Amino acid sequence: HDVYNLNPYWIVNEMKNESDKDKFSGTGVMSYKFNDKFQARLTGGGDINIFSFQDYAPYSTPGKETGYLQVSNFKNYTYNVELLMMYKDKFGVFDIGANIGGNIFHVNNRTEIVTAKDMRMREVIALQSFMSKEIAEDVYRKQINSLFGMVNISYNNFLYLDATLRGDKSSTLPSSKNTYVYPSVSASLLFSEVLKINKNLLPYGKLRASFAQVGSDTSPYRLDLMNSMIDKGYGNYPFGSIYNFEVPNRNLKPTRTNSSEYGIVLRFLKNRFGLDFTYYTQNSKDQIMRLNTSIASGYSAKIVNAGEIENKGIEVVLNTRPIETNDWTWDLNFNFSKNSNKVKSLASGLDRFTLAEAAWLNVTVDAVVGENYGAIMGKDFKRSPSGDIIVNASTGLPEVSDEVS
């Protein structure tokens, strides 16, 4: 009899692992047209997920000899409501459109887990059959209220200009910093229409450029300490504990990402060949990150706004149609992309912090100023001036440098 391993027949016939999931989702749209220029639209949607899970091990189960029952209930509710006012008109060679609206995004998730041990009524699988019960509850609530507007202008169907402005107010950031506004602007020129190029040679040619800023928040409950009662005390005085695993930060700021993009789109030979080239840059500031801390502090990490990271790269797409007949066509497409990123700066006083660690290999994944984000760092072999690995004459093993690179 092996008290440490489970008999597969016992698992199949005696233990239970059951789950049940209900999902409800829906969207409703109501619109009203005032006239040919103005209209309004109200959109509401919701997503509800209810998941229950039961894990049961009867009395005398190896590792859970007194019996075990865990009942978990997950209830996730997400709602989204948007009101949009739309306007469009034409003035000679100008087409103008404008939208203004607001949005409410709300998340309310609740988790309840009851763990029961020491089964006394062994014929009935229910929480009441157990002497010891532990209850764990977790909540996740978040709401973002937004206002936004956008303007679209086109001139003679070859020059286009779009501009947007959005403001978000998030419940997860400090009240003094929980509102952030970010704009964007983009323009495009159909130069094939302006230059009157032969349509058989170049039916379509466009230049485009855009500049945008995006703000983002974080998960809830990262600003202050959270407390929880424990099943211990001193006399009539109960004990409590700090529930946080991360050092809270009451001064968090929203992350800001500035991006720019430039591109050209070309179509040749009656659209049989096409080229789409894009160059982009992206600069993120005040990214909200977890910095690993010593577990002796009582926390595994702290939350900070960590400096600045830059991304830039190119994307090239080549579209071809080598064969086109009345019966069938063959499209052959190629794409190439290259992205490089660099850590420009980190939190004050830091030039490096660890994102992940493989301690058994003495290897870490770090953010290091001047290096790529997520650089793999470790100790290399010692090498001679000619680049050969130095081998220890006594052990016959390569010697390892003390420096991390």
Side-chain angles (χ1 to χ4, degrees):
H1 176 64
D2 190 345
V3 297
Y4 298 104
N5 292 303
L6 292 171
N7 187 307
Y9 292 101
W10 181 266
I11 296 174
V12 172
N13 298 315
E14 301 296 334
M15 300 179 68
K16 295 185 182 297
N17 191 321
E18 300 173 347
S19 63
D20 184 56
K21 183 176 182 179
D22 295 315
K23 179 178 177 65
F24 307 92
S25 61
T27 302
V29 179
M30 183 172 61
S31 60
Y32 182 79
K33 189 174 183 179
F34 298 97
N35 52 45
D36 291 338
K37 299 179 182 179
F38 291 95
Q39 61 177 313
R41 184 175 67 207
L42 178 64
T43 305
D47 194 1
I48 301 174
N49 290 278
I50 300 175
F51 179 70
S52 60
F53 180 82
Q54 181 174 288
D55 184 15
Y56 168 69
Y59 181 84
S60 77
T61 298
K64 299 174 181 176
E65 287 78 6
T66 62
Y68 174 89
L69 177 64
Q70 186 175 78
V71 178
S72 305
N73 291 293
F74 305 89
K75 298 179 180 179
N76 302 331
Y77 303 89
T78 302
Y79 305 105
N80 196 60
V81 179
E82 180 177 280
L83 176 63
L84 185 63
M85 305 292 292
M86 295 169 283
Y87 167 80
K88 64 177 181 179
D89 203 352
K90 186 176 180 66
F91 299 93
V93 295
F94 289 93
D95 289 294
I96 297 177
N99 298 336
I100 187 171
N103 180 276
I104 297 175
F105 175 74
H106 181 81
V107 178
N108 186 3
N109 299 340
R110 179 179 293 273
T111 301
E112 296 175 350
I113 301 176
V114 181
T115 303
K117 301 176 182 179
D118 192 5
M119 191 176 189
R120 297 300 176 92
M121 294 189 293
R122 299 170 188 171
E123 297 80 14
V124 181
I125 303 175
L127 292 173
Q128 293 88 333
S129 301
F130 292 79
M131 290 294 293
S132 171
K133 304 179 188 70
E134 296 180 1
I135 301 174
E137 183 182 46
D138 192 20
V139 294
Y140 181 103
R141 295 192 183 100
K142 175 179 177 177
Q143 181 164 315
I144 300 177
N145 300 331
S146 305
L147 292 174
F148 55 86
M150 58 193 77
V151 176
N152 318 106
I153 301 174
S154 68
Y155 173 74
N156 210 21
N157 293 323
F158 69 80
L159 182 61
Y160 300 86
L161 177 66
D162 301 321
T164 70
L165 184 67
R166 183 183 179 99
D168 291 344
K169 184 175 183 179
S170 172
S171 64
T172 66
L173 294 170
S175 57
S176 60
K177 300 180 178 70
N178 66 352
T179 300
Y180 43 98
V181 179
Y182 44 97
S184 74
V185 61
S186 63
S188 60
L189 171 66
L190 294 178
F191 62 85
S192 57
E193 299 296 323
V194 179
L195 302 178
K196 306 298 182 183
I197 301 174
N198 187 329
K199 294 294 184 181
N200 292 324
L201 295 178
L202 186 68
Y204 187 84
K206 180 173 75 172
L207 293 171
R208 53 186 169 82
S210 65
F211 306 88
Q213 183 182 90
V214 176
S216 59
D217 61 353
T218 184
S219 301
Y221 319 124
R222 288 182 146 184
L223 307 180
D224 290 294
L225 291 175
M226 296 184 292
N227 299 293
S228 176
M229 304 304 298
I230 59 177
D231 59 348
K232 294 179 175 62
Y234 179 75
N236 294 326
Y237 300 97
F239 287 166
S241 66
I242 295 175
Y243 192 65
N244 303 63
F245 297 99
E246 304 168 335
V247 180
N249 187 343
R250 298 181 181 180
N251 298 309
L252 281 181
K253 297 179 287 186
T255 299
R256 300 277 188 172
T257 300
N258 298 311
S259 61
S260 61
E261 185 175 297
Y262 311 90
I264 184 171
V265 182
L266 301 172
R267 298 288 182 267
F268 302 97
L269 303 177
K270 297 181 179 181
N271 291 314
R272 295 283 296 275
F273 296 91
L275 176 68
D276 190 341
F277 175 84
T278 302
Y279 171 78
Y280 64 88
T281 62
Q282 188 179 79
N283 191 285
S284 298
K285 295 183 179 180
D286 296 325
Q287 292 200 80
I288 299 173
M289 296 182 178
R290 298 175 77 255
L291 296 186
N292 293 334
T293 61
S294 170
I295 198 67
S297 67
Y299 302 94
S300 59
K302 64 179 180 179
I303 306 301
V304 298
N305 288 107
E308 179 181 351
I309 297 176
E310 179 187 68
N311 283 272
K312 57 184 177 181
I314 62 170
E315 296 176 352
V316 182
V317 178
L318 179 64
N319 308 111
T320 68
R321 180 168 289 179
I323 300 175
E324 182 177 37
T325 68
N326 293 329
D327 298 323
W328 67 287
T329 59
W330 177 30
D331 291 333
L332 189 60
N333 302 322
F334 306 88
N335 63 74
F336 170 81
S337 63
K338 177 178 174 58
N339 178 77
S340 63
N341 63 60
K342 181 175 290 188
V343 178
K344 307 289 285 186
S345 65
L346 293 173
S348 178
L350 291 177
D351 56 11
R352 169 187 171 188
F353 70 79
T354 298
L355 304 171
E357 181 178 9
W360 61 95
L361 295 173
N362 290 322
V363 173
T364 59
V365 178
D366 294 348
V368 183
V369 174
E371 300 287 345
N372 291 339
Y373 181 78
I376 299 175
M377 309 292 289
K379 295 181 179 180
D380 196 4
F381 295 122
K382 291 183 179 180
R383 296 181 181 272
S384 67
S386 60
D388 296 324
I389 296 175
I390 297 176
V391 177
N392 188 293
S394 302
T395 63
L397 298 175
E399 293 188 358
V400 178
S401 172
D402 294 328
E403 297 181 358
V404 175
S405 59

